Structures are given as C-alpha cells and as structure tokens.
Amino acid sequence: MNITAAYTDLYQLTMAQVYFRTKPKGRAVFDYYFRHNPFDGGYSIFAGLEDVLHILETLTFSASDIAYLEQHGFEAEFLDYLKNFQFQGTIYSSREGDVVFPNRPILQVEANIIEAQIIETLLLNLLNFQTLIATKASRIRYSAENGVLLDMGLRRAHATGGYYASRAAAIGGFDSTSNVKAADDYNIPSSGTMAHSFIQSYEDELQAFRDFAQWRPINCVLLVDTYSTLKSGLPNAITVAKEMEHRGDRLLGVRLDSGDLAYLSKKTRILLDEAGLSYVKIVASNQLDEFVIKSLKEQGAPIDIFGVGTNLVTGKPDAAIDGVYKLSEFNGEPRIKLSENIIKVSLPYKKQVYRMLDENGMFYGADAVALFKEEQVGEMEHPFDITKSLDLNRFNHEALLEKVMEHGKKVNPTRSVTEIARYSKSRLEKLPEEYKRFDNPHIYKIGLSIKLKQERDALVLKHKF
Amino acid sequence: MNITAAYTDLYQLTMAQVYFRTKPKGRAVFDYYFRHNPFDGGYSIFAGLEDVLHILETLTFSASDIAYLEQHGFEAEFLDYLKNFQFQGTIYSSREGDVVFPNRPILQVEANIIEAQIIETLLLNLLNFQTLIATKASRIRYSAENGVLLDMGLRRAHATGGYYASRAAAIGGFDSTSNVKAADDYNIPSSGTMAHSFIQSYEDELQAFRDFAQWRPINCVLLVDTYSTLKSGLPNAITVAKEMEHRGDRLLGVRLDSGDLAYLSKKTRILLDEAGLSYVKIVASNQLDEFVIKSLKEQGAPIDIFGVGTNLVTGKPDAAIDGVYKLSEFNGEPRIKLSENIIKVSLPYKKQVYRMLDENGMFYGADAVALFKEEQVGEMEHPFDITKSLDLNRFNHEALLEKVMEHGKKVNPTRSVTEIARYSKSRLEKLPEEYKRFDNPHIYKIGLSIKLKQERDALVLKHKF
C-alpha cells in the first residue's frame, strides 16, 4: 500500500465536496493537539513530523483513487479539482523530538479548508502513533539508564505500522532496531541476536553455537535458554567464547529470554566472570517494559542490553494517543468547539506557544499559549480556574512553534532521525525530574495569555445555550 | 514503504547466512500459533492469510536491500543467493476467518530453512495483527447484535497498520469503513458522516446542515453535538430533515458523539419520532468498545449505527496477540522448544488439527492435534494432565489445516474480504454461546493424539537436565 491522498476518511472528501461548492476559497487554521499524556506520564515526545512533511510535499490522488470516488457518487467537477490536488498550505510546528504537553497546539495547519480537511486523517495517523511510541521509548530509556536498548518488536507491531514504530523508538532513545527496512530507510543502527529455531535446527546446542560463532563472529550473541539456561546454554556459550578467543574473536554477549531475569543475569555474570569472560555482555528480553526494567535495575540485575518488543511498538497499555485536529480560525474569524466538559473546549485563532525557562535554562514547568500576533505575554492565566495565574515577566522564554512548511514546501532541510533523537535528548535534559517519574508525575502547567482567554470566553458565551 | 524481503528482523538474515554455509538444503517445518486468546476471550478469528500469501508470491529483495546488507557485513555469495531469493515453500493453514484457539497450529510452513526463517517476521507481523483486530471486531459485532458497525479508526491507528486494521475489522463483522484506501483495495463498503470542523466553518449550525444536505443528500448524516445536542443540533437537524422531505430526499441519520449516549439517544429517538422522522437513524460514536455497546444495548439505547475507532483498530487493551513461529521438524526429525513452563513447550513434527462436531454440526468444544500422517485419531489426551482424555470415536470431525501454497504458489484463487467475512460468520454460528461471553468464557479444549503426545514426551525427556 502506497500512501496517496485517498489515505483518508471518506467524510473528509464528502465535506471537501461541499466546501468546493459553497466556500472554495475558505482559509482555515487547524490545531493539532492531544488531551492527555500517554501512560499517565508527565510529558510526551513529539514525533512523526518529518514523515508528514515529506509525504505532504508530493501527496496526490492516484488514477485509481479518482476512479473509486467516481464510482462512489462524487461530482465530476470536484473530481477534476482532486486530480490537480496538491497541498499548498503553511504549517507551524513544534520541533520534532521536543518535549510537549497536552492541551496546547503542537502543530498548526493554515490552508484552504479543502486541503486542510483532506490531510487531517493522514496527519493524525502519523503524528499520534509516532508520538505515542517515542514517548514510550523515552520512558524505557529513562528506566534503563545507560543500558543499551534494542527495538525488536516488528513481529508484534500493527502490521506496517512497525516501520514507523522503529523510527519513533529511535527518536525516543533506542540505540538500534532489528527492523532491517526501517534501519535502512531511516539510517538507524540495526542489530539482532539469534532465535531458538537456529539452535533447534541442530542435534545439539554446542554445535549450533559453534557454527554461528564461526560464520557470524561479528557482534555474536548466543541465545542460552533453549533447553536450560544454566545447565546447558551458558556452559556451551562459555566453551564457544573460549574457542573464539583462540581464533582472536570475541563473543559479544549471551541472551536470556525466559525465566527470572534478575536471578539468571546475576548467576550468568558470576559464571562468565569466573570463566574470564568479563567482557561478554548480558542481553535480556521477554515482555520488557519501563516498569520491568526499573525493577531489574533496582534488584541490581547486571544486564547490559535490553531487547524490547511488544510493549514498545504497540505502546501498551494505552495503544493510542488522543490527538485531535480542531478548527480554530476560518477566514480570519475565531472558531471554537464546545463540549459538555469545559476542559475539552478548543482554543480559537492562530496561536504561538511560549516555554518559560528558569535561571539555569531548565524548563520552568509552564508553557503559555497566546494569540499568534501578541508581542508580549506578561502573564498567563489558568485555562479554567480564575484564581490561578502566573507572572511571566521574570522568565526567559522560547517560542515553540516554528514555520516548517510554506505553500506546500518544506522550509528546512530534512532532519535525520539521529539529529532528532539528539535534540530530543537535549530537551529532556532540561525537563526537571519530577515530570519524568512514573507515579503521579508533576503536572506541567499550560496557561493562556489574557487576550486569548478573553477571546475564548467571549466565544463560549456567544455559543452557550 | 513497500514490503520487500528486508521487511524482517536482522537476525533472520544473520541466521540465514549461517544456514547458507552449514546446511543449505535443510528442510524445516515451522508452526504458527499463539498461546492466549486476546481480551481474555474464549476464541479468536484468524485473519491476514490472503495478504501473506499474496505478498509471498512475489517477495524479493530490492537492489537497495542488497546494497544495505552488503554495507553491513553480509558475504558476497550469500548476497548472490538473496538476489535470487524467492519463497518456494508449502503452507498448510486454517482457513482465513475461521474460529481458532490457542496452543494448536494455525498455520504450518514447510520450506528450506533459509526461506522459512526469512519470512518469519513478515508472517507474524501480518497474522498477529489482523487476528487481533478481527477478534476484537467479532466481539464488538457480538455486543452490537444487529446494529450497523462502522470502522472509523484510521486517525488513531498505528500508522499504515490502519490499512490492515480496516480489512480485519470487515472480516470480524464490521459493515463498512471510513478508510477510503482500504475500502478501495479490499472492496469493503465505505461510509462516513461529518466532522465538527464542517459545522464550525459556518457562522451558524443550521446553514451548515442545509449546505451539507443540499450538496451531499445521499447517505446524509448530521453531527448534532457541536454546540448543544438537544438545544441546537437536533432541532436544526429536524428542520433540515423536513426541508429534505420537501425536495424528495431523506435524511439518513443524526450522529451523537459526546455526552451520555444512552440518555441522548432515547431523547433523540422521541424527538425524531414526534417530528414524523421515525426513519431517521441514530448513529453513536465516542470511545465505543464491546463493553460500552453491551451496556448501551442493556439500557435500551435506540442506536442504529455504532461508529467505532480507537478501541477497534488498536485492539485495546491487549494491543497484541502473542503469536509465535516455532520449528517443529528439521530434515524429517522432530524438534521441540522447552521452557521453564511446561505449558510453553512446543509440539514436534508436521501436524493436522481436527475439530470435533456434535450431532447438530456445532463445534463440540474440542480440537485434536495429531501427527500429519495419522490415519485415525480415536482419543485425545490433555496436553499435560494425564488424568484427562476424550474418546473421539463418537464425533464427526473436520480437518482444519488445508494446503494453501505449494512451491511458493497459491493453491486457491484469492478469497475476497466479503467471502472471508461470510465464512467467519458461518463458523461463529457453530460456536456455542458459552465460548462467546465476555466474562470467564468456557475454555475450548485442545488435546493431543496419543502418538503426538508420546513423541513430545519422549523429546522432552531427551532434552531434560
């Protein structure tokens, strides 16, 4: 499946046809944001942007797409429009890899409303998922401290979504991936070990290890739990490691994939060290996530490399981030979406977001959302609680939304995954620890400028019943 | 991203290179199966097979794949082999759409071990995910009874995995999808309603409804909760429905997307009926899953059409099925994978699975796994509990694994999604109710033939320490 402009929800095209008839020149601003950090966490890592921009630059309807829509009742004139469809809008966005928070615009699309509507699904689809996985990866990185992290989830990923999962995992702090396709396309280091089937294909485990070490001595990791980790796998691995030494090679590691990883890794470390193999690393896998790794670390498990699969690439247990795309301005007029729940009311107008920095350049814990054209934001208000506000004059601040696409063309050269991951790491280093802990993390404050809050409240009152 | 043979884990290629050097003619049998039904359910719906077979028929390494592997230390002779790689194995499989259970082979690959290993990741990736989603869809279908089910999850799906999610949802019982691309490629009915942004782009809701109904009268559904469902959306929708009647059109439905759906749907039904609009349907959406729909049904909510998104396409809360691919035979010799946990020990040899039928042709509740060549299976044994067995002589039975690919070519013409969905429905009708309930469903028994159990036990003893 190739992504074309028909990679969208049918209703986008239905609505687009009505816009085409009734307001073909309508100019819209849409906000992309989400309402909750995934995993009950204190922050999220924004990911997926470069993919979106890259696709938007060349997005068209294929002949087959047009034929399908023709068969499904779309009008000839509108189909002619779609045949020449090209996204020509402007996009402001947080930088990919940045630490972001709920209920503030992360990205804004400013475009003809037909174009803005048609790309909605694609944009949500790629940003929601990659942000979910980059955030999960970042949490796993946090718990693994300096441990090496290997993504090995492709077999449990959501079909080809696994390709994007590997990219997002690298952004969130993973060192390498087993996914060859993603490694190649996104220039992520690839790595891997061996499977049980390899050992099973031999009459005996020792011969399997010997053959593997002989024909693939570089980065050789032997899987030691096919029959019995301590009684068979590890003694055989030690034998082969010694044989490798005689040839001038070195075994990289042994992999534990079942049983009690804390107990087995300690035993394994002792046995390896006693055999003079202190350089051989211990790789562990089997349903790992940030909590299991944290526990292993707390137990002092001497694991060097963590292989993480299912829980990483599926973003368990949340499996989704609740990102939305809301109309905030139309032909220069403010727009709002009400809700039974005041917290879900959207913010009108094109906006900018400012991040407050403390005296050391660390994130202070407050992002202020303001109208795009406000020159100075001296105070931010709590979005709903009128008793709360914050004087901003004492802070240095950064504007977080930058223009990344203009008239359908990317403004900046593509940032590589390595570059984005490095940026993300540098941003996380500025986030105080209390936002990173897993249990009841501190809540990063999002406030509104006085002008924005006034505009929003006026609109709420205008529409209330 | 196009799927090529590099859509795999690096270690498959590492192992393949060693096989290429040490046992290039090795003939392997691998079993695909999983260990638990997702969602703590009583059954699973097998899906993804036609996609796998379709891809395998033409799977090759691209020039770019080869170049990548060359840069990453693979040997020239092995790369020459990969340049000509073509899957030429034979596959036996459950029929796509069938009701399947854990711990019995669902699919078996019989091939050169290099080929069988290279395709492992692709096969697990597509089968695990689609089986997860088809099963979720089937559960939602069960709770929705005769309600119409619309998949609208693309925006929250795992990137392009959403394409396969829509296919699997149709197999599990969904009536249509919002996903235009999947609808086109897989010939699934497409449908959709309208978004809040459409209404917000107008100064007033009534005009938005009027324009929409005028320019898109076919299957017109009006979204009524942008400002206030009962005070604004519904009265405006009724006005427009009456105007449509004057033009000879009919409003298909109104959509509720927030608030208490039980309360609002009842109020809405009364107001529509009082206005003489009993033909106008009620569409509901907003974080629906099988449990919410069951509750709505129990409360008597008069909802005709359910739009399901995130919880369907991400397979929440499980987000993955634990499908594995285990070597069971190599060069005619049985193979086994032990485990600390006896329940995770794999089954040796190529096998067949028989489903017992009761006197009415319903599934009796027992599948027996036997050696492929056993002529008669008169008794099945519990896999681990020696006190339990079942006399099979009184049952009619079906062989569940059929040859679907031979020497790399599909045996049967491609079955359409519609055909697979119909087959799945007919199979579910044969599954007694106690396996379908959500809470503590009855456990479908999987047993082994006496011969298979003897072979397995002998191998376990051979490998035990």
Side-chain angles (χ1 to χ4, degrees), chain A residues 201, chain B residues 18-30 81 110-117 327 329-332 335:
Chain A
S201 77
Chain B
V18 183
Y19 293 136
F20 179 75
R21 284 293 168 197
T22 60
K23 47 181 76 162
K25 301 285 180 202
R27 191 87 190 154
V29 177
F30 278 88
Y81 166 85
E110 197 177 357
N112 177 291
I113 194 164
I114 305 178
E115 296 171 27
Q117 201 85 66
L327 185 69
E329 191 177 314
F330 185 69
N331 284 339
R335 289 294 186 255

Side-chain angles (χ1 to χ4, degrees), chain A residues 228-415:
Chain A
S228 167
T229 300
L230 296 177
K231 292 180 187 160
S232 167
L234 197 58
N236 285 333
I238 288 171
T239 301
V240 170
K242 289 298 187 183
E243 292 170 1
M244 290 177 80
E245 282 185 354
H246 288 300
R247 298 197 299 269
D249 286 328
R250 279 194 155 200
L251 180 65
L252 174 64
V254 294
R255 174 176 163 211
L256 309 171
D257 188 43
S258 58
D260 190 288
L261 297 175
Y263 169 79
L264 289 173
S265 62
K266 287 176 193 172
K267 282 277 184 190
T268 298
R269 187 71 273 156
I270 290 167
L271 292 170
L272 288 171
D273 289 352
E274 283 175 359
L277 297 168
S278 55
Y279 61 84
V280 173
K281 296 191 191 309
I282 297 177
V283 184
S285 54
N286 193 20
Q287 298 300 318
L288 300 182
D289 65 10
E290 64 269 49
F291 300 104
V292 176
I293 293 173
K294 183 166 180 278
S295 167
L296 288 168
K297 284 280 182 188
E298 285 166 1
Q299 294 172 77
I303 297 167
D304 305 288
I305 301 172
F306 298 91
V308 189
T310 312
N311 292 304
L312 168 68
V313 299
T314 64
K316 275 187 89 167
D318 287 15
I321 205 168
D322 62 353
V324 295
Y325 185 79
K326 293 290 174 194
L327 185 70
S328 59
E329 192 177 312
F330 186 69
N331 284 339
E333 295 295 319
R335 290 294 187 257
I336 202 167
K337 159 79 177 72
L338 297 187
S339 172
E340 304 279 319
N341 185 343
I342 181 73
I343 291 173
K344 290 177 77 174
V345 170
S346 65
L347 297 173
Y349 284 116
K350 186 174 165 185
K351 296 170 286 292
Q352 180 55 280
V353 183
Y354 300 95
R355 177 157 297 171
M356 302 305 136
L357 305 175
D358 73 11
E359 57 279 11
N360 302 314
M362 295 281 284
F363 301 161
Y364 172 74
D367 285 358
V369 190
L371 299 173
F372 194 78
K373 290 181 174 174
E374 285 187 75
E375 305 258 311
Q376 255 190 320
V377 184
E379 183 176 321
M380 81 178 207
E381 310 287 305
H382 188 284
F384 314 107
D385 183 342
I386 57 170
T387 67
K388 291 181 180 160
S389 65
L390 180 69
D391 179 1
L392 303 182
N393 290 307
R394 62 190 173 105
F395 298 107
N396 286 321
H397 65 255
E398 305 171 324
L400 298 179
L401 303 182
E402 61 181 13
K403 192 185 285 184
V404 292
M405 176 163 266
E406 185 155 30
H407 304 311
K409 294 290 159 214
K410 286 177 58 172
V411 170
N412 305 308
T414 299
R415 289 174 177 133

Side-chain angles (χ1 to χ4, degrees), chain B residues 117-131:
Chain B
Q117 201 85 66
I118 287 173
I119 69 163
E120 172 182 1
T121 308
L122 165 69
L123 188 145
L124 288 171
N125 174 266
L126 290 176
L127 298 182
N128 281 337
F129 179 56
Q130 292 200 46
T131 298

Side-chain angles (χ1 to χ4, degrees), chain A residues 4 9-10 178 181 200 335, chain B residues 4 9-10 178 200 335:
Chain A
T4 67
D9 293 304
L10 182 69
S178 70
K181 202 78 182 167
Q200 290 173 266
R335 290 294 187 257
Chain B
T4 68
D9 292 305
L10 182 69
S178 69
Q200 289 172 267
R335 289 294 186 255

Side-chain angles (χ1 to χ4, degrees), chain B residues 147-164:
Chain B
V148 173
L149 290 174
L150 160 61
D151 151 37
M152 40 185 249
L154 184 56
R155 63 192 51 203
R156 300 279 170 81
H158 289 193
T160 49
Y163 176 73
Y164 300 94

Side-chain angles (χ1 to χ4, degrees), chain B residues 226-245:
Chain B
T226 304
Y227 302 115
S228 167
T229 300
L230 296 176
K231 291 179 186 160
S232 168
L234 196 59
N236 285 335
I238 288 172
T239 301
V240 170
K242 289 298 188 186
E243 290 170 3
M244 288 177 81
E245 281 185 354

